Amino acid sequence: MDDLEKAILISFDESGAVDSALKAQAVGYCQQIKETPSICSICIERLCFSKLVQVQFWCLQCLHEVLRVRYSSTGPEEKSFIRKSVFSLACYESIDDKNLVRVLDGPAFIKNKLAQVMVTLICFEYPMIWPSVFVDFLSNLSKGVVVIDMFCRVLNALDEEVISLDYPRSQEEVAIAGQIKDAMRQQCISQVVRAWYDILLMYRNSDPDLCCSVLDSMRRYVSWIDIGLIANDAFVGLLFELMLVSGFPDQLRGAAAGCIHAVAAKRMDPKAKLTLLQSLQIRKVFGLVAEDNGSELVSSVSSLLTGYSTEVLECSKRLNSEDGKAVSTELLNEVLPSVFYVMQNCEIDETFSIVQFLSGYVGTLKSLAPLTESQSRHVGQILDVIRSQIQFDPAYRNNLDMLDKTGKEEEDRMAEFRKDLFVLLRSVGRVAPDATQLFIRNSLASAVASNGDVNVEEIEAALSLLYAFGESLSDETMKTRNGLLGELIPMLLSTKFPCHNNRLVALIYLETVTRYMKFFQENTQYIPLVLGAFLDERGIRHPNRNVSRRASYLFMRIVKLLKAKLVPYIETILQSLQDTVAQFTTIYAVSKELSGCEDGSHIFEAIGLLIGMEDVPLEKQSEYLTTLLTPLCQQVEALLLNAKAQNPEESPAKITNIQQIIMAINALSKGFSERLVTASRPAIGLMFKQTLDVLLRILIIYPKIEPLRCKVTSFIHRMVDILGSSVFPYLPKALEQLLAESEPKELAGFLLLLNQLICKFNTGVQDILEEVYPAIACRVFNILPRDAFPTGPGSNTEEIRELQELQRTLYTFLHVIATHDLSSVFLSSKSRAYLDPMMQLILHASCNHNDILVRKACVQIFIRLIKDWCVSPYGEEKVPGFRSFVMEAFATNCCLYSVLDKSFEFRDANTLVLFGEIVLVQKVMFEKFGNDFLVHFVSKSLQSAHCPQDLAEQYCQKLQGSDIKALKSFYQSLIENLRRQQNGSLVFR
């Protein structure tokens, strides 16, 4: 063993026993050898003598790479040597007398790599330099199995590396493939096909693996060779014999089916194609699908039947003649029963293709009315197929019920798998509505009558069909009591399946009832049954927590929809929910069962929607609300009272308990409107104010617990919505506490609360804003960077993302202040100190921020400030220095330099909107500053950008005109002119 072989062995070592430094040295040495000019000779020599597969693989890999990179610069003699040597290796010949090793005796991956090297040579040399390569190879096939196998590997590698369009190809690669195929068609493909036929005849009984390799190669080539070479009595007869004779291995029979499939899929004129399909006599294989439902053969035959059916259907679509349509229909009628059988009885990978085919078939029936007897029968069979395919596998029943990792994966897989089947169901419903409705009715009736423990999957499928059926119904159909729904919905509501404890059955049952809510809106006599379904053990009381959670959410949706129609049932509902509500109003520490964020909040929201209606008498409303709020507030007070004395280990549970209570009260308040709480029933408003007073004390006792601060902030948002201006007395204390200990994320939430207040009350919050703005500005300008955020590795941390979010919220906050007549807040005595950093921040963002919408907002802030603070061209300055700052810094940098930058993309819709604001602000500046603005912008800014005098004069004219659209259009063309003129030579900022 010489140094190269040692180095190759070390470099391939995966045991971990080799020192990493030694391995790196070995890799370096191999690379050094690879760079030598005589590398091809070195590799070929090693292939003749070395029995080490690592060395053989490295040499072949090296040859492959070197040929691809250096072939054009290789001399004619060396090319000839490589060609002869590689071909000798592929044909099991000696390169010289000393040749001791045959590469074809090696493992499959070595032979595949040799095939790749052969294909690389073929790409460069066939047909111009080496026209006889395939003919030469054919003459060597008489050497037996080892060379025939290699020939198949070369053909397969040629398909994969060059010809097949299953992989993306460059134009050059497509041209090379076309050249090779044209040459093979003219010169040798008929001989290759003859060789395939002879090999199959000779080896079908003795070497089925070799025959499989031949059939695999043949299948790949059928698409582009003369179909007559294969589609003839002799060859098709042989393929059917290989497929139909039970004595042959399944792998061989399946490979023969693959070839027939390739013949059927051959692209050609539809009339000729139909004749070809007819000649295949596909009925011969129908019996094969029943042989062994899970075998490889059945999978191949299923693929053949699906492909054949799809091709017949395509011919039917493309042929206009009656004869063609009749033949297509006859062939489809013949093959469809086997397709249906496969779908319902076999474990195959072709389900998606079959569903696509059936969707296409149903699509062709849309124009046919009425359906023929056979077509109606097919529609019924398609519905049966849908039902059987959407059923879960009973083997996963426990996994799905517990929803462990396996169950979750299976549920996700089925959810995706069912999508196409439900689309197919809707298509069938449009083509044969009566048959579809009858099918769904019978499915549900069968499920109702079945033994639930045995037929869990069948019941779930029947309910899923009814749910999917509801998706295709119009609102009018949904509301009517006549017809199918009048029978199905009462049947559904009155049924308690024996397997209702099963999670999947319970969930789809509730989803299906919810799907048909519009039916209950019109048919209110069924409301008690609906309530029963959600309030008993089928819904909120279901033993499975996932089901009870979902039931709570769906019940809330039902209450939203039916609302006033539920008033007569409020007492009943509240009574039924008493124990659920009691879990929040009596448990001191939250139980583990209630730890999900969804728990409770939906129930309380549903109750709030019910009792918050004006249809409920005031006395009852007060009574209901008191019953709910009083114990919840008492719990909070008790928890806060003991907060200082509590055991640190108990604290997390109590904090979680408080969170849960705040969420419950928050959800409850969503049912009450501002009009009811402040105008028609102020006593209700008083109850919420008292609750707010209690919850605000949380911020004092737990000033640094972020989850609690967030929940209290959320509740204040709600109280602003429903209490209106009567919330003002509570705001100073609340805002002070929220601002005191806030981190960037909380500060962003605080600004959102202020935005809500400003948008709702406008100048009504001026005093509050003047009080809090200086503290906000101080905090924000201290923690936000003056310029852009860092980019590159390590810059995408959570801390930086929170700061970026705070910055975006700050821009919105400043925009809201400016656009709600509150800009005087910036000028108050306490806020003046922050005016300059604020202006610099907005200026920088208006020119440079990567979010165009932020830039637009900043320009709009400038527009409002100019209008508010600049009275007239010659009046006294309201804000000293502001006018010159706007003209010198903002107008030049934002209105000119930022739009001259190539990154300002006029083809982007948002950028165009920003540009409109930039043009508008120039108009506003001219109106407020008069000729001062014109003189400065034209003589300094435009001149610095080398703007021609005539264009500057046109700009002045357009700006002084009244047509803003004309100004915008002109300014865009001016900017584009300046860009072309500079051609990147002028760099701004």
Side-chain angles (χ1 to χ4, degrees), residues 78-277:
E78 189 176 2
K79 284 180 185 175
S80 176
F81 169 70
I82 295 168
R83 183 187 315 127
K84 287 176 183 174
S85 301
V86 170
F87 188 67
S88 295
L89 292 172
C91 291
Y92 208 59
E93 290 179 350
S94 300
I95 294 175
D96 56 39
D97 296 337
K98 299 173 185 176
N99 193 173
L100 303 174
V101 175
R102 305 290 172 92
V103 172
L104 295 196
D105 292 332
F109 70 90
I110 295 292
K111 290 183 270 193
N112 289 338
K113 185 53 71 174
L114 177 57
Q116 268 190 319
V117 176
M118 273 290 294
V119 167
T120 306
L121 284 171
I122 288 168
C123 286
F124 284 121
E125 301 197 335
Y126 182 78
M128 302 305 291
I129 300 169
W130 191 9
S132 64
V133 56
F134 294 106
V135 176
D136 292 345
F137 221 136
L138 287 168
S139 65
N140 279 277
L141 297 185
S142 56
K143 292 176 181 175
V145 172
V146 69
V147 179
I148 296 170
D149 173 73
M150 190 61 207
F151 182 57
C152 292
R153 291 178 194 275
V154 170
L155 291 179
N156 291 354
L158 182 63
D159 176 68
E160 287 172 7
E161 304 277 325
V162 183
I163 296 172
S164 174
L165 294 176
D166 290 342
Y167 309 94
R169 307 286 187 200
S170 66
Q171 281 187 312
E172 184 185 357
E173 288 170 329
V174 171
I176 290 169
Q179 185 176 296
I180 289 171
K181 288 192 291 186
D182 288 343
M184 287 183 75
R185 285 190 196 104
Q186 289 176 15
Q187 183 203 44
C188 63
I189 202 65
S190 60
Q191 294 166 263
V192 171
V193 172
R194 181 70 212 181
W196 286 335
Y197 182 80
D198 291 341
I199 293 164
L200 291 172
L201 271 180
M202 185 181 298
Y203 291 98
R204 58 187 165 170
N205 294 310
S206 59
D207 198 334
D209 288 342
L210 181 68
C211 291
C212 286
S213 299
V214 170
L215 290 168
D216 181 35
S217 299
M218 192 172 109
R219 175 186 57 78
R220 297 164 183 261
Y221 282 68
V222 167
S223 64
W224 58 268
I225 66 176
D226 176 8
I227 195 63
L229 294 171
I230 306 289
N232 52 61
D233 292 345
F235 219 137
V236 170
L238 177 58
L239 291 173
F240 269 97
E241 180 192 333
L242 293 173
M243 192 170 26
L244 295 172
V245 174
S246 58
F248 291 126
D250 277 1
Q251 189 182 0
L252 176 58
R253 298 169 76 188
C259 286
I260 298 288
H261 185 181
V263 170
K266 175 80 172 176
R267 293 174 64 182
M268 50 201 294
D269 172 76
K271 192 174 179 182
K273 178 67 162 283
L274 194 59
T275 304
L276 170 65
L277 294 170

Side-chain angles (χ1 to χ4, degrees), residues 440-441 444 466 469 484-493:
I440 287 169
R441 182 213 165 280
L444 185 63
L466 181 56
F469 175 65
L484 183 72
L485 291 187
E487 180 187 356
L488 287 182
I489 302 305
M491 187 195 301
L492 178 71
L493 291 173

Side-chain angles (χ1 to χ4, degrees), residues 435-497:
T436 306
Q437 291 180 26
L438 182 63
F439 173 78
I440 287 169
R441 182 213 165 280
N442 292 341
S443 295
L444 185 63
S446 171
V448 168
S450 70
N451 180 336
D453 293 332
V454 177
N455 299 317
V456 170
E457 290 73 29
E458 184 187 321
I459 291 169
E460 194 278 338
L463 291 169
S464 295
L465 286 171
L466 181 56
Y467 176 87
F469 175 65
E471 289 187 312
S472 60
L473 297 181
S474 65
D475 285 356
E476 285 308 308
T477 309
M478 188 79 86
K479 289 174 184 177
T480 181
R481 189 185 167 192
N482 302 323
L484 183 72
L485 291 187
E487 180 187 356
L488 287 182
I489 302 305
M491 187 195 301
L492 178 71
L493 291 173
S494 59
T495 301
K496 290 187 180 180
F497 295 103

